Amino acid sequence: MSRILIVEDERHLAEGLRFNLEAEGYQVDVCEDGESALELLEASGSAIDLLVLDVMLPGKDGFEVMAELRREGQYLPTLMLTARGRPEDVLKGFESGADDYLPKPFELAILLARIGGLLRRREWLLASAAAKTTAGDGDKPAAPQVFEVAGRVIDFGTLEIRAESQTFPLTVMEANLLRYLIQHQDQAVSRKAMLEDVWGVREDTDTRPIDNFIVRLRRYLEDDPANPKHLLTVRGVGYRFTP
Ligand code: CA
């Protein structure tokens, strides 16, 4: 059973979410502010599988909580709840390390779908990494579980990129995006295709968050992130990965 931590100070919303997520078979914890969420996550080790994190919180806001978790090496999948009509919140959320976001107010069915998607992608990543022979994702060619590029080892099993002197842990969505680009290597991939295929976002969404992910991936993969040799920008389209 997956365990989900909800960080939300609006009590009626938090309790409504708890009720519905428990009805779906999840185990649910609720924290009303960022500090207690950080404490609970620290105390629980890796027992929590997914975080639903509101941006507007008393004390530390969701961005600070997110950034602090990633700094401490906590890479659990995180869905951020942002205020409606604030695209800058979405960008800030992705910059701080969130995997996905949902603007408030949201439909419960969509929240459940996003949560299910994040958990499934993580399971799929770990399971497909464990299986030595994989048929791949539908009709796409199977990407190797361990991929070497530019003197780094990308390990989709452990969700990390190992460089000579440093190891970079990957979030689920960083790993999924990188895997997607590797599966489409030497092809220009549009931002819209990435959002649709990696995030499962079909509505008309701001595609700029993709650029934040690419900036992060370049930091892990490129010797000189300002002059990338593998994660290339394709002007007017999106990006191209070349090994
Ligand atoms: Ca709130």
Side-chain angles (χ1 to χ4, degrees):
M1 190 199 325
S2 295
R3 189 169 159 192
I4 297 175
L5 173 60
I6 299 168
V7 191
E8 170 60 88
D9 59 314
E10 287 166 64
R11 209 166 282 181
H12 66 283
L13 179 54
E15 287 310 317
L17 285 178
R18 181 207 290 275
F19 177 81
N20 283 288
L21 288 171
E22 283 178 349
E24 293 291 313
Y26 296 113
Q27 196 184 332
V28 180
D29 296 84
V30 173
C31 289
E32 292 187 6
D33 60 71
E35 281 83 356
S36 49
L38 288 167
E39 278 167 29
L40 191 146
L41 283 166
E42 197 179 350
S44 65
S46 56
I48 308 275
D49 298 298
L50 183 136
L51 185 63
V52 176
L53 179 63
D54 187 36
V55 167
M56 304 283 280
L57 294 167
K60 283 180 186 162
D61 66 17
F63 304 124
E64 292 173 79
V65 172
M66 186 77 268
E68 202 161 307
L69 280 174
R70 296 306 191 220
R71 264 201 308 278
E72 286 167 6
Q74 269 276 16
Y75 284 84
L76 79 169
T78 300
L79 174 68
M80 204 170 243
L81 304 178
T82 61
R84 189 169 125 129
R86 283 178 59 91
E88 64 271 31
D89 276 5
V90 174
L91 294 175
K92 226 172 142 186
F94 280 123
E95 270 162 29
S96 65
D99 291 301
D100 201 356
Y101 74 97
L102 202 55
K104 284 176 160 182
F106 50 81
E107 283 177 43
L108 182 67
I110 293 181
L111 176 92
L112 293 175
R114 295 288 181 82
I115 286 175
L118 276 174
L119 289 171
R120 266 198 313 280
R121 279 183 212 114
R122 182 174 176 77
E123 274 163 27
W124 178 77
L125 263 179
L126 297 177
S128 64
K132 290 279 176 248
T133 52
T134 171
D137 181 13
D139 54 356
K140 287 173 207 144
Q145 310 313 329
V146 174
F147 198 92
E148 288 189 42
V149 63
R152 282 128 173 106
V153 175
I154 305 165
D155 191 332
F156 289 108
T158 55
L159 294 185
E160 62 190 17
I161 295 178
R162 294 188 289 273
E164 215 164 277
S165 57
Q166 217 178 340
T167 295
F168 304 98
L170 294 170
T171 72
V172 174
M173 297 313 283
E174 285 170 353
N176 274 294
L177 177 59
L178 189 52
R179 194 183 178 103
Y180 182 77
L181 288 166
I182 289 172
Q183 283 174 332
H184 295 84
Q185 62 179 266
D186 298 319
Q187 300 168 37
V189 182
S190 72
R191 291 179 180 81
K192 193 164 176 286
M194 290 184 234
L195 269 183
E196 286 189 1
D197 293 344
V198 180
W199 276 268
V201 175
R202 304 225 178 272
E203 61 262 44
D204 192 19
T205 315
D206 193 342
T207 57
R208 280 177 299 170
I210 294 288
D211 303 333
N212 287 297
F213 271 77
I214 296 290
V215 166
R216 294 217 299 271
L217 290 175
R218 278 179 179 155
R219 229 178 277 148
Y220 310 149
L221 274 183
E222 301 282 354
D223 290 331
D224 180 5
N227 293 295
K229 292 197 159 55
H230 304 285
L231 283 172
L232 307 174
T233 301
V234 183
R235 206 170 287 272
V237 181
Y239 295 96
R240 178 163 55 92
F241 173 78
T242 182

